[in-house]
Amino acid sequence: MKVTFPHMGNMYVPIKVLLDTSGIDYVMPPYCTNEPLELGIRHSPEFACLPFKTILGDFIYGVDNGADFILFAGGRGQCRLGYYGDLQAEILKSLDYKVKFVCLDLTNLTPKEILNRIKPLTEGKSILNIIKGIIYAVKTVYMVDNLNELARYTRCREIIKGQTDRLISQFHNLAQKANGYKNISDIINLTKKSLRQIPVDKKYKPVKVSIVGEMYVSTHPNINFQLEKKLGNMGVEVQNNLSISHWITDHFVRKLLPIKFKKEPHEAGKEYMKTNDIGGHGIHTIGCSILSAKNNFDGVIHLYPFTCMPEIIAQCAFSEVQNKYDIPIMTLIIDEMTGEAGYMTRLEAFIDMLKMKSEVATTNN
Amino acid sequence: MKQDGYYIGIDVGSVSTNLVIIDENDKVIEKLYLRTSGQPINVLIKGMQLLAEKFGKHIHIKGVGTTGSGRQLASVIVGADIVKNEITSHAVATQKTVPGVKTILEIGGQDSKIIILKNGVVNDFAMNTVCAAGTGSFLDRQASRLEIPIEEFGGYALRSKSPVRIAGRCAVFAESDMIHKQQTGHSTEDIVNGLCQALVRNYLNNLAKGKDIEEPIAFQGGVAANVGIVAAFENQLKKKIIIPEHYDVMGAYGAALIAKKEATTSNFKTSFHGFGVANHDYRAKSVECQDCSNACEVIKILSDNTAIARWGDRCGKWSQQTAAV
């Protein structure tokens, strides 16, 4: 069996580690091209959101290139993600693709159940290698997110602009070609070392912006027109509240521990939403915006794919949040449009506004 | 006259390309409002030619600022010192002409914006999101469909006795609503008035949602010339609307003011290429870069066959060369 998987930000790095270590054969769709996107749009219902279309495109690309097993992580809850896996499986079937489609509902599954579902893939493979693969992959998730964290620090402070970008794009080029935990972790460590050597202006006080919203568009640079890179190069320090490592910590690590953790964004978000779950990241989005204000961020950028229900609801709370917590929030809606001019205007204007505000605040004090 | 400095502001928008020249006292001495007609380069060159004929020999340009969706393009062609987004440019210009302004309503060709100022600083703003229903191009299109010159469009609205209700949510639905009302026999005046009301309703519900619209309120952009829209705003807000003197070129005026401020504070030497730019031939060429799997569509700007700028690449290889030139 040969598996294929969709891209989401840096997720491909740990997935590669997992599959390499377990000895599972795979097809990886190209990281950053328009071909899968076009395939996805052609075969998707018009009303579906952009993540649905790009993910379907990645699947079709993978199957066209020899994969016969698809692993998709869906979820339950009130949002459409719950039936996306089934819908994609049906679309692939109607296109006459012979492929095994396994959709993992990650909201309630335990690791043991997951292993059960992916049995066709793991049959005949050494259990030890699979366990090793999972441990390595989780480690890689944290390493890659850590690398990104560092890039966010250096990008806005670097003295010669473009150094961070060059290292990160070099990292992606190498990581896509490399195989196995050893090689990939070497590349991560090497990039980290080079990032640390970039000369930075330590006294520089950047404007701080926090990114909230739907996870896929917030973490996938090819879809969100490289938002983090653009902000960083405007001299803005970015915090992205959505990363795979946050997610794993919340969904697996904390669940396995005997102590009950309170999810801070959820608790904060409840001020405006008197329900536990509306699907997606609705409450999380509101909560993170409130927490960003409390943690002295200058502004919040809210991202979501066009027609995303939970985020539309979250957005409704923003005019209240802005007034009460005195933090500017700008919403950007992502769809198929590839023209960046409109986004750039809004981003520049938003950052200009934050900079002017913080200047006024410092002269008044 | 030679020793006095002048500053140029250029706003390359989707519908109009505006140029202004201001003097050291921030006074507008010349303004041009030209239709972009989908050809930003040609129109910009034409504008520069017009300025060159009138002022070329007499005045000394100390700084140039560009804004609008074509600001990057304009910047490489004329050699701008400042490239600013429209929000900041508009805010700067309006604060100059309407002292103490608290709310700026701006409706342009493809964009509509609202800017809220507090203590002289932009405090909040919004731009229309995915829909273009509440913008100038839509009005433009409807005017030409009804064969009314856009300049007279607002006058029609004012003559209306009872506006018909038009769905203002989406440009496509608004149009079919208008056609439907027209086929049932409503007068053109009433339909035009209904459209103005719908557009303003959509603007206020969409952009101004949850924002306090406080006086003084300035309304600018090409659509501010439409008396029907102005009346609809005053009617729905129950507040007075001020139309600034240079309402149609505020973006360009703001860009000029920002260039002037920058020139006086940091004392730079302008990178303005001179009025001679009008004599060169400019072309844009699009090439698909084959160097990696990204296959970016790279735009090349050629001046007399030499590339003066490139952009559109994700890796920055081409756009960095532009910065070096």
Side-chain angles (χ1 to χ4, degrees), chain A residues 30 32-34 162 166 222 226 229 306 319 322-323 328-331 333 335 341 344-346 348-350 352-353 356-357 360, chain B residues 68-69 71-72 83-88 111 113 121-125 127-130 209-211 293-295 314-316 320:
Chain A
C32 199
T33 62
N34 289 330
R166 223 163 298 141
N222 194 28
Q226 319 261 3
K229 189 166 137 185
F306 191 43
S319 57
Q322 291 196 60
N323 287 336
I329 305 176
M330 179 172 69
T331 297
I333 303 172
D335 201 32
M344 278 314 283
T345 301
R346 287 161 176 82
E348 273 182 43
F350 189 66
D352 259 9
M353 177 179 92
M356 278 192 276
K357 270 188 173 179
V360 170
Chain B
S69 46
R71 57 187 180 277
Q72 227 77 44
V83 182
K84 261 292 166 216
N85 63 80
E86 300 94 296
I87 305 268
T88 312
D111 287 322
K113 350 179 163 42
V121 185
V122 178
N123 189 60
D124 193 6
F125 70 89
M127 283 175 86
N128 60 330
T129 45
V130 259
K209 188 173 55 187
K211 301 193 189 337
S293 63
N294 282 357
R314 289 194 183 89
C315 67
Q320 267 161 19

Short mmCIF file of all heavy atoms in Angstrom, two decimals, chain A residues 30 32-34 162 166 222 226 229 306 319 322-323 328-331 333 335 341 344-346 348-350 352-353 356-357 360, chain B residues 68-69 71-72 83-88 111 113 121-125 127-130 209-211 293-295 314-316 320:
data_model
loop_
_atom_site.label_atom_id
_atom_site.label_comp_id
_atom_site.label_asym_id
_atom_site.label_seq_id
_atom_site.Cartn_x
_atom_site.Cartn_y
_atom_site.Cartn_z
N PRO A 30 3.31 18.06 -4.33
CA PRO A 30 4.26 19.18 -4.30
C PRO A 30 3.83 20.23 -3.27
O PRO A 30 2.63 20.45 -3.08
CB PRO A 30 4.23 19.73 -5.71
CG PRO A 30 3.00 19.19 -6.34
CD PRO A 30 2.66 17.92 -5.64
N CYS A 32 4.19 23.58 -2.88
CA CYS A 32 3.80 24.98 -3.02
C CYS A 32 3.41 25.33 -4.45
O CYS A 32 3.73 26.38 -4.95
CB CYS A 32 5.00 25.80 -2.57
SG CYS A 32 4.66 27.47 -2.14
N THR A 33 2.71 24.46 -5.14
CA THR A 33 2.36 24.80 -6.52
C THR A 33 0.85 24.89 -6.66
O THR A 33 0.10 24.49 -5.79
CB THR A 33 2.86 23.75 -7.51
OG1 THR A 33 2.21 22.52 -7.19
CG2 THR A 33 4.33 23.58 -7.47
N ASN A 34 0.43 25.42 -7.78
CA ASN A 34 -1.00 25.62 -7.98
C ASN A 34 -1.69 24.40 -8.57
O ASN A 34 -2.91 24.36 -8.62
CB ASN A 34 -1.22 26.82 -8.91
CG ASN A 34 -0.87 28.10 -8.18
OD1 ASN A 34 -1.02 28.18 -6.96
ND2 ASN A 34 -0.40 29.09 -8.91
N GLY A 162 15.88 39.72 4.65
CA GLY A 162 15.85 38.61 3.71
C GLY A 162 16.66 37.39 4.14
O GLY A 162 16.54 36.32 3.57
N ARG A 166 15.62 33.44 3.42
CA ARG A 166 16.47 32.57 2.61
C ARG A 166 16.74 31.25 3.35
O ARG A 166 16.66 30.18 2.76
CB ARG A 166 17.80 33.30 2.30
CG ARG A 166 18.22 33.09 0.86
CD ARG A 166 19.26 34.11 0.42
NE ARG A 166 18.72 35.46 0.49
CZ ARG A 166 19.43 36.52 0.90
NH1 ARG A 166 20.68 36.38 1.30
NH2 ARG A 166 18.88 37.72 0.91
N ASN A 222 1.15 28.83 1.74
CA ASN A 222 0.81 28.93 0.32
C ASN A 222 -0.62 29.44 0.13
O ASN A 222 -0.96 30.00 -0.89
CB ASN A 222 0.97 27.57 -0.34
CG ASN A 222 0.96 27.67 -1.85
OD1 ASN A 222 1.34 28.70 -2.39
ND2 ASN A 222 0.51 26.64 -2.51
N GLN A 226 1.58 33.83 2.41
CA GLN A 226 2.81 34.02 3.21
C GLN A 226 2.66 35.13 4.22
O GLN A 226 3.53 35.98 4.36
CB GLN A 226 3.99 34.35 2.29
CG GLN A 226 4.02 33.55 1.01
CD GLN A 226 4.96 32.38 1.08
OE1 GLN A 226 5.56 32.13 2.12
NE2 GLN A 226 5.09 31.64 0.02
N LYS A 229 5.50 35.73 6.80
CA LYS A 229 6.70 36.26 6.18
C LYS A 229 6.50 37.75 5.88
O LYS A 229 7.38 38.57 6.17
CB LYS A 229 6.92 35.47 4.88
CG LYS A 229 8.21 35.73 4.19
CD LYS A 229 8.42 34.64 3.15
CE LYS A 229 8.93 35.22 1.87
NZ LYS A 229 9.04 34.21 0.80
N PHE A 306 -13.31 31.69 3.25
CA PHE A 306 -14.64 32.18 2.91
C PHE A 306 -15.68 31.10 3.19
O PHE A 306 -15.47 29.94 2.87
CB PHE A 306 -14.63 32.54 1.42
CG PHE A 306 -15.85 33.30 0.97
CD1 PHE A 306 -16.36 34.33 1.73
CD2 PHE A 306 -16.46 33.01 -0.23
CE1 PHE A 306 -17.47 35.04 1.31
CE2 PHE A 306 -17.57 33.71 -0.67
CZ PHE A 306 -18.08 34.73 0.11
N SER A 319 -16.47 43.12 17.55
CA SER A 319 -16.62 44.56 17.80
C SER A 319 -16.71 44.80 19.31
O SER A 319 -16.22 45.81 19.82
CB SER A 319 -17.81 45.14 17.05
OG SER A 319 -18.98 44.46 17.39
N GLN A 322 -13.07 44.27 20.72
CA GLN A 322 -12.22 45.42 20.40
C GLN A 322 -12.45 46.57 21.38
O GLN A 322 -11.51 47.20 21.84
CB GLN A 322 -12.52 45.94 18.99
CG GLN A 322 -12.10 45.00 17.91
CD GLN A 322 -12.06 45.70 16.57
OE1 GLN A 322 -11.32 46.65 16.38
NE2 GLN A 322 -12.84 45.23 15.62
N ASN A 323 -13.72 46.83 21.67
CA ASN A 323 -14.02 47.95 22.56
C ASN A 323 -13.63 47.64 24.00
O ASN A 323 -13.00 48.44 24.66
CB ASN A 323 -15.51 48.29 22.51
CG ASN A 323 -15.84 48.97 21.21
OD1 ASN A 323 -14.97 49.58 20.58
ND2 ASN A 323 -17.09 48.85 20.78
N PRO A 328 -7.09 46.35 18.45
CA PRO A 328 -7.59 46.34 17.09
C PRO A 328 -7.55 44.92 16.51
O PRO A 328 -6.57 44.20 16.68
CB PRO A 328 -6.61 47.23 16.32
CG PRO A 328 -5.83 47.95 17.36
CD PRO A 328 -5.82 47.09 18.57
N ILE A 329 -8.63 44.52 15.86
CA ILE A 329 -8.70 43.21 15.23
C ILE A 329 -9.05 43.40 13.75
O ILE A 329 -9.99 44.12 13.44
CB ILE A 329 -9.76 42.31 15.88
CG1 ILE A 329 -9.50 42.21 17.39
CG2 ILE A 329 -9.79 40.92 15.24
CD1 ILE A 329 -10.56 41.41 18.14
N MET A 330 -8.28 42.78 12.89
CA MET A 330 -8.62 42.85 11.46
C MET A 330 -8.87 41.44 10.94
O MET A 330 -8.10 40.54 11.19
CB MET A 330 -7.51 43.50 10.65
CG MET A 330 -7.86 43.55 9.17
SD MET A 330 -6.71 44.50 8.17
CE MET A 330 -5.28 43.47 8.22
N THR A 331 -9.97 41.29 10.23
CA THR A 331 -10.31 39.99 9.67
C THR A 331 -9.93 39.94 8.20
O THR A 331 -10.20 40.87 7.45
CB THR A 331 -11.82 39.73 9.81
OG1 THR A 331 -12.14 39.69 11.19
CG2 THR A 331 -12.22 38.42 9.17
N ILE A 333 -10.36 37.39 4.88
CA ILE A 333 -11.04 36.19 4.43
C ILE A 333 -10.31 35.63 3.22
O ILE A 333 -10.01 36.37 2.28
CB ILE A 333 -12.51 36.51 4.08
CG1 ILE A 333 -13.19 37.11 5.30
CG2 ILE A 333 -13.23 35.26 3.61
CD1 ILE A 333 -14.57 37.65 5.03
N ASP A 335 -9.89 33.19 -0.01
CA ASP A 335 -10.58 32.36 -0.99
C ASP A 335 -9.64 32.12 -2.17
O ASP A 335 -8.44 32.33 -2.06
CB ASP A 335 -11.91 33.01 -1.39
CG ASP A 335 -12.87 31.98 -1.97
OD1 ASP A 335 -12.82 30.83 -1.54
OD2 ASP A 335 -13.66 32.33 -2.85
N ALA A 341 -2.79 42.23 -4.02
CA ALA A 341 -2.76 43.67 -3.80
C ALA A 341 -3.74 44.09 -2.70
O ALA A 341 -3.40 44.88 -1.82
CB ALA A 341 -3.09 44.41 -5.09
N MET A 344 -2.42 43.13 0.68
CA MET A 344 -1.27 43.95 1.07
C MET A 344 -1.72 45.32 1.56
O MET A 344 -1.20 45.82 2.55
CB MET A 344 -0.32 44.12 -0.12
CG MET A 344 0.62 42.97 -0.35
SD MET A 344 1.39 42.40 1.17
CE MET A 344 2.63 43.67 1.43
N THR A 345 -2.69 45.92 0.87
CA THR A 345 -3.18 47.24 1.27
C THR A 345 -3.71 47.18 2.69
O THR A 345 -3.39 48.02 3.53
CB THR A 345 -4.30 47.69 0.33
OG1 THR A 345 -3.77 47.72 -0.98
CG2 THR A 345 -4.81 49.06 0.70
N ARG A 346 -4.53 46.16 2.96
CA ARG A 346 -5.13 46.05 4.29
C ARG A 346 -4.07 45.81 5.35
O ARG A 346 -4.09 46.42 6.42
CB ARG A 346 -6.16 44.92 4.30
CG ARG A 346 -7.43 45.29 3.55
CD ARG A 346 -8.21 44.07 3.16
NE ARG A 346 -9.47 44.38 2.51
CZ ARG A 346 -9.60 44.67 1.23
NH1 ARG A 346 -8.52 44.72 0.45
NH2 ARG A 346 -10.78 44.94 0.72
N GLU A 348 -0.79 46.51 5.24
CA GLU A 348 0.05 47.70 5.43
C GLU A 348 -0.68 48.75 6.25
O GLU A 348 -0.11 49.34 7.17
CB GLU A 348 0.40 48.31 4.07
CG GLU A 348 1.61 47.73 3.42
CD GLU A 348 1.90 48.43 2.10
OE1 GLU A 348 1.80 49.67 2.05
OE2 GLU A 348 2.20 47.73 1.13
N ALA A 349 -1.96 48.96 5.89
CA ALA A 349 -2.73 49.98 6.60
C ALA A 349 -2.88 49.60 8.07
O ALA A 349 -2.76 50.44 8.97
CB ALA A 349 -4.09 50.15 5.96
N PHE A 350 -3.12 48.33 8.32
CA PHE A 350 -3.30 47.86 9.69
C PHE A 350 -2.02 48.06 10.50
O PHE A 350 -2.04 48.58 11.61
CB PHE A 350 -3.70 46.38 9.66
CG PHE A 350 -4.13 45.82 10.99
CD1 PHE A 350 -5.28 46.26 11.60
CD2 PHE A 350 -3.37 44.84 11.62
CE1 PHE A 350 -5.69 45.74 12.82
CE2 PHE A 350 -3.77 44.31 12.83
CZ PHE A 350 -4.93 44.75 13.44
N ASP A 352 0.49 50.09 9.79
CA ASP A 352 0.70 51.53 9.92
C ASP A 352 -0.07 52.08 11.12
O ASP A 352 0.44 52.86 11.91
CB ASP A 352 0.16 52.25 8.67
CG ASP A 352 1.28 52.61 7.72
OD1 ASP A 352 2.41 52.16 7.96
OD2 ASP A 352 1.01 53.34 6.75
N MET A 353 -1.33 51.64 11.19
CA MET A 353 -2.19 52.12 12.27
C MET A 353 -1.63 51.69 13.62
O MET A 353 -1.54 52.50 14.55
CB MET A 353 -3.60 51.55 12.08
CG MET A 353 -4.57 51.92 13.15
SD MET A 353 -6.19 51.23 12.82
CE MET A 353 -6.09 49.70 13.68
N MET A 356 1.45 53.78 14.46
CA MET A 356 1.14 55.16 14.86
C MET A 356 0.55 55.19 16.26
O MET A 356 0.88 56.04 17.07
CB MET A 356 0.17 55.78 13.86
CG MET A 356 0.89 56.32 12.63
SD MET A 356 -0.18 57.34 11.63
CE MET A 356 -1.03 56.14 10.65
N LYS A 357 -0.31 54.20 16.54
CA LYS A 357 -0.93 54.15 17.87
C LYS A 357 0.13 53.96 18.95
O LYS A 357 0.08 54.61 20.00
CB LYS A 357 -1.90 52.97 17.95
CG LYS A 357 -3.29 53.31 17.53
CD LYS A 357 -4.16 52.14 17.85
CE LYS A 357 -5.61 52.46 17.61
NZ LYS A 357 -6.45 51.29 17.89
N VAL A 360 2.07 57.17 19.52
CA VAL A 360 1.31 58.13 20.31
C VAL A 360 1.31 57.71 21.78
O VAL A 360 1.50 58.53 22.68
CB VAL A 360 -0.14 58.24 19.78
CG1 VAL A 360 -1.00 59.05 20.73
CG2 VAL A 360 -0.13 58.87 18.41
N GLY B 68 -2.56 53.85 -3.90
CA GLY B 68 -3.53 53.16 -4.75
C GLY B 68 -3.08 51.75 -5.08
O GLY B 68 -1.95 51.36 -4.78
N SER B 69 -3.97 50.99 -5.73
CA SER B 69 -3.62 49.59 -5.99
C SER B 69 -2.45 49.46 -6.96
O SER B 69 -1.76 48.46 -6.98
CB SER B 69 -4.84 48.82 -6.49
OG SER B 69 -5.51 49.57 -7.47
N ARG B 71 0.24 51.35 -6.81
CA ARG B 71 1.30 52.21 -6.25
C ARG B 71 2.71 51.71 -6.57
O ARG B 71 3.61 52.50 -6.82
CB ARG B 71 1.12 52.38 -4.75
CG ARG B 71 1.07 51.10 -3.93
CD ARG B 71 0.72 51.44 -2.48
NE ARG B 71 0.66 50.27 -1.63
CZ ARG B 71 -0.40 49.48 -1.52
NH1 ARG B 71 -1.47 49.73 -2.24
NH2 ARG B 71 -0.39 48.44 -0.71
N GLN B 72 2.89 50.38 -6.59
CA GLN B 72 4.22 49.82 -6.86
C GLN B 72 4.63 50.12 -8.29
O GLN B 72 5.75 50.54 -8.56
CB GLN B 72 4.15 48.30 -6.67
CG GLN B 72 5.27 47.75 -5.84
CD GLN B 72 5.08 48.00 -4.36
OE1 GLN B 72 3.98 47.81 -3.85
NE2 GLN B 72 6.12 48.44 -3.68
N VAL B 83 6.00 55.05 -0.91
CA VAL B 83 4.92 54.22 -1.45
C VAL B 83 4.02 53.91 -0.27
O VAL B 83 4.44 53.22 0.66
CB VAL B 83 5.46 52.92 -2.07
CG1 VAL B 83 4.33 52.10 -2.66
CG2 VAL B 83 6.50 53.23 -3.13
N LYS B 84 2.80 54.44 -0.28
CA LYS B 84 1.93 54.27 0.90
C LYS B 84 0.60 53.65 0.53
O LYS B 84 0.11 53.84 -0.57
CB LYS B 84 1.64 55.64 1.51
CG LYS B 84 2.50 55.99 2.72
CD LYS B 84 2.19 55.14 3.92
CE LYS B 84 3.30 55.32 4.94
NZ LYS B 84 3.73 54.29 5.73
N ASN B 85 0.01 52.94 1.46
CA ASN B 85 -1.31 52.37 1.23
C ASN B 85 -2.36 53.48 1.25
O ASN B 85 -2.13 54.56 1.76
CB ASN B 85 -1.62 51.31 2.27
CG ASN B 85 -1.66 51.92 3.64
OD1 ASN B 85 -2.64 52.51 4.03
ND2 ASN B 85 -0.56 51.81 4.37
N GLU B 86 -3.54 53.16 0.72
CA GLU B 86 -4.58 54.18 0.56
C GLU B 86 -5.15 54.67 1.89
O GLU B 86 -5.54 55.83 2.01
CB GLU B 86 -5.75 53.64 -0.27
CG GLU B 86 -5.39 53.20 -1.67
CD GLU B 86 -5.09 51.71 -1.74
OE1 GLU B 86 -4.10 51.29 -1.10
OE2 GLU B 86 -5.82 50.99 -2.41
N ILE B 87 -5.24 53.77 2.87
CA ILE B 87 -5.87 54.15 4.14
C ILE B 87 -5.08 55.30 4.78
O ILE B 87 -5.64 56.34 5.13
CB ILE B 87 -5.90 52.96 5.12
CG1 ILE B 87 -6.59 51.77 4.50
CG2 ILE B 87 -6.50 53.36 6.45
CD1 ILE B 87 -8.03 51.64 4.73
N THR B 88 -3.78 55.10 4.89
CA THR B 88 -2.95 56.12 5.52
C THR B 88 -3.00 57.41 4.71
O THR B 88 -3.14 58.50 5.27
CB THR B 88 -1.51 55.61 5.66
OG1 THR B 88 -1.56 54.30 6.22
CG2 THR B 88 -0.69 56.51 6.54
N ASP B 111 -12.86 49.56 -4.18
CA ASP B 111 -12.80 49.47 -2.73
C ASP B 111 -13.75 50.47 -2.12
O ASP B 111 -13.97 51.54 -2.66
CB ASP B 111 -11.41 49.88 -2.23
CG ASP B 111 -10.38 48.83 -2.52
OD1 ASP B 111 -10.72 47.65 -2.41
OD2 ASP B 111 -9.25 49.21 -2.85
N LYS B 113 -14.08 52.10 1.89
CA LYS B 113 -13.45 52.03 3.20
C LYS B 113 -14.16 52.97 4.17
O LYS B 113 -14.80 53.93 3.78
CB LYS B 113 -11.98 52.46 3.17
CG LYS B 113 -11.37 52.62 1.82
CD LYS B 113 -9.94 53.06 1.92
CE LYS B 113 -9.16 52.85 0.64
NZ LYS B 113 -9.79 53.17 -0.63
N VAL B 121 -5.36 60.13 15.29
CA VAL B 121 -4.69 58.92 14.83
C VAL B 121 -5.75 57.96 14.32
O VAL B 121 -6.85 57.88 14.88
CB VAL B 121 -3.93 58.23 15.99
CG1 VAL B 121 -3.15 57.04 15.47
CG2 VAL B 121 -3.01 59.21 16.68
N VAL B 122 -5.42 57.22 13.27
CA VAL B 122 -6.35 56.21 12.78
C VAL B 122 -6.56 55.20 13.89
O VAL B 122 -5.61 54.62 14.41
CB VAL B 122 -5.78 55.49 11.54
CG1 VAL B 122 -6.73 54.40 11.08
CG2 VAL B 122 -5.54 56.47 10.41
N ASN B 123 -7.80 55.01 14.30
CA ASN B 123 -8.06 54.12 15.42
C ASN B 123 -8.67 52.81 14.96
O ASN B 123 -8.53 51.78 15.60
CB ASN B 123 -9.00 54.82 16.40
CG ASN B 123 -9.14 54.05 17.69
OD1 ASN B 123 -8.14 53.85 18.38
ND2 ASN B 123 -10.35 53.61 17.99
N ASP B 124 -9.34 52.86 13.83
CA ASP B 124 -10.00 51.66 13.33
C ASP B 124 -10.33 51.91 11.86
O ASP B 124 -10.55 53.04 11.46
CB ASP B 124 -11.30 51.44 14.12
CG ASP B 124 -11.89 50.06 13.90
OD1 ASP B 124 -11.22 49.25 13.23
OD2 ASP B 124 -13.00 49.81 14.38
N PHE B 125 -10.31 50.86 11.08
CA PHE B 125 -10.73 51.03 9.70
C PHE B 125 -11.30 49.72 9.20
O PHE B 125 -11.10 48.68 9.80
CB PHE B 125 -9.57 51.48 8.81
CG PHE B 125 -8.54 50.42 8.57
CD1 PHE B 125 -8.66 49.53 7.52
CD2 PHE B 125 -7.44 50.30 9.41
CE1 PHE B 125 -7.71 48.54 7.30
CE2 PHE B 125 -6.49 49.33 9.21
CZ PHE B 125 -6.63 48.44 8.15
N MET B 127 -12.37 47.75 5.26
CA MET B 127 -12.51 47.82 3.82
C MET B 127 -13.49 46.73 3.41
O MET B 127 -13.61 45.72 4.10
CB MET B 127 -11.17 47.57 3.13
CG MET B 127 -10.25 48.77 3.17
SD MET B 127 -8.65 48.37 2.48
CE MET B 127 -8.95 48.67 0.75
N ASN B 128 -14.17 46.95 2.30
CA ASN B 128 -15.11 45.92 1.85
C ASN B 128 -14.37 44.61 1.65
O ASN B 128 -13.20 44.59 1.28
CB ASN B 128 -15.81 46.35 0.56
CG ASN B 128 -14.85 46.60 -0.56
OD1 ASN B 128 -13.71 46.99 -0.33
ND2 ASN B 128 -15.28 46.37 -1.78
N THR B 129 -15.03 43.51 1.93
CA THR B 129 -14.34 42.22 1.87
C THR B 129 -14.44 41.59 0.49
O THR B 129 -13.82 42.07 -0.45
CB THR B 129 -14.84 41.29 2.97
OG1 THR B 129 -16.27 41.37 2.99
CG2 THR B 129 -14.30 41.70 4.30
N VAL B 130 -15.20 40.53 0.35
CA VAL B 130 -15.16 39.82 -0.92
C VAL B 130 -16.10 40.39 -1.97
O VAL B 130 -16.01 40.01 -3.12
CB VAL B 130 -15.46 38.32 -0.73
CG1 VAL B 130 -14.18 37.53 -0.76
CG2 VAL B 130 -16.20 38.07 0.55
N LYS B 209 -20.40 48.42 10.55
CA LYS B 209 -21.01 47.58 11.57
C LYS B 209 -20.25 47.69 12.90
O LYS B 209 -19.06 47.46 12.96
CB LYS B 209 -21.02 46.13 11.09
CG LYS B 209 -21.78 45.18 11.95
CD LYS B 209 -21.86 43.82 11.29
CE LYS B 209 -20.48 43.29 10.93
NZ LYS B 209 -20.53 42.06 10.16
N GLY B 210 -20.95 48.08 13.95
CA GLY B 210 -20.33 48.14 15.27
C GLY B 210 -19.40 49.32 15.48
O GLY B 210 -18.71 49.38 16.48
N LYS B 211 -19.33 50.24 14.53
CA LYS B 211 -18.44 51.39 14.72
C LYS B 211 -19.27 52.64 15.01
O LYS B 211 -20.36 52.80 14.48
CB LYS B 211 -17.61 51.62 13.45
CG LYS B 211 -16.78 50.42 13.08
CD LYS B 211 -15.75 50.79 12.05
CE LYS B 211 -15.01 49.61 11.47
NZ LYS B 211 -14.93 48.39 12.21
N SER B 293 9.58 24.51 -8.71
CA SER B 293 8.23 23.99 -8.93
C SER B 293 7.14 25.01 -8.60
O SER B 293 5.98 24.81 -8.90
CB SER B 293 8.02 22.73 -8.09
OG SER B 293 8.13 23.06 -6.73
N ASN B 294 7.50 26.13 -7.97
CA ASN B 294 6.50 27.15 -7.67
C ASN B 294 5.88 27.73 -8.93
O ASN B 294 4.72 28.09 -8.94
CB ASN B 294 7.14 28.31 -6.89
CG ASN B 294 7.33 27.96 -5.44
OD1 ASN B 294 6.94 26.88 -5.02
ND2 ASN B 294 7.91 28.86 -4.69
N ALA B 295 6.69 27.82 -9.99
CA ALA B 295 6.25 28.37 -11.26
C ALA B 295 5.49 29.69 -11.10
O ALA B 295 4.37 29.86 -11.55
CB ALA B 295 5.39 27.36 -12.03
N ARG B 314 7.63 34.30 -5.43
CA ARG B 314 7.51 33.98 -4.01
C ARG B 314 8.86 33.98 -3.33
O ARG B 314 8.98 34.28 -2.16
CB ARG B 314 6.86 32.60 -3.84
CG ARG B 314 5.40 32.60 -4.23
CD ARG B 314 4.74 31.34 -3.74
NE ARG B 314 3.36 31.31 -4.17
CZ ARG B 314 2.95 30.80 -5.32
NH1 ARG B 314 3.83 30.24 -6.14
NH2 ARG B 314 1.69 30.81 -5.66
N CYS B 315 9.92 33.63 -4.06
CA CYS B 315 11.21 33.45 -3.40
C CYS B 315 11.95 34.76 -3.22
O CYS B 315 12.85 34.87 -2.41
CB CYS B 315 12.08 32.48 -4.18
SG CYS B 315 12.59 33.08 -5.79
N GLY B 316 11.56 35.79 -3.97
CA GLY B 316 12.22 37.08 -3.80
C GLY B 316 13.43 37.26 -4.68
O GLY B 316 14.11 38.28 -4.62
N GLN B 320 14.09 41.13 -5.46
CA GLN B 320 15.24 41.71 -4.78
C GLN B 320 16.14 42.47 -5.74
O GLN B 320 16.76 43.46 -5.38
CB GLN B 320 16.05 40.62 -4.08
CG GLN B 320 15.61 40.46 -2.63
CD GLN B 320 16.03 39.14 -2.06
OE1 GLN B 320 16.92 38.48 -2.58
NE2 GLN B 320 15.41 38.77 -0.97
#
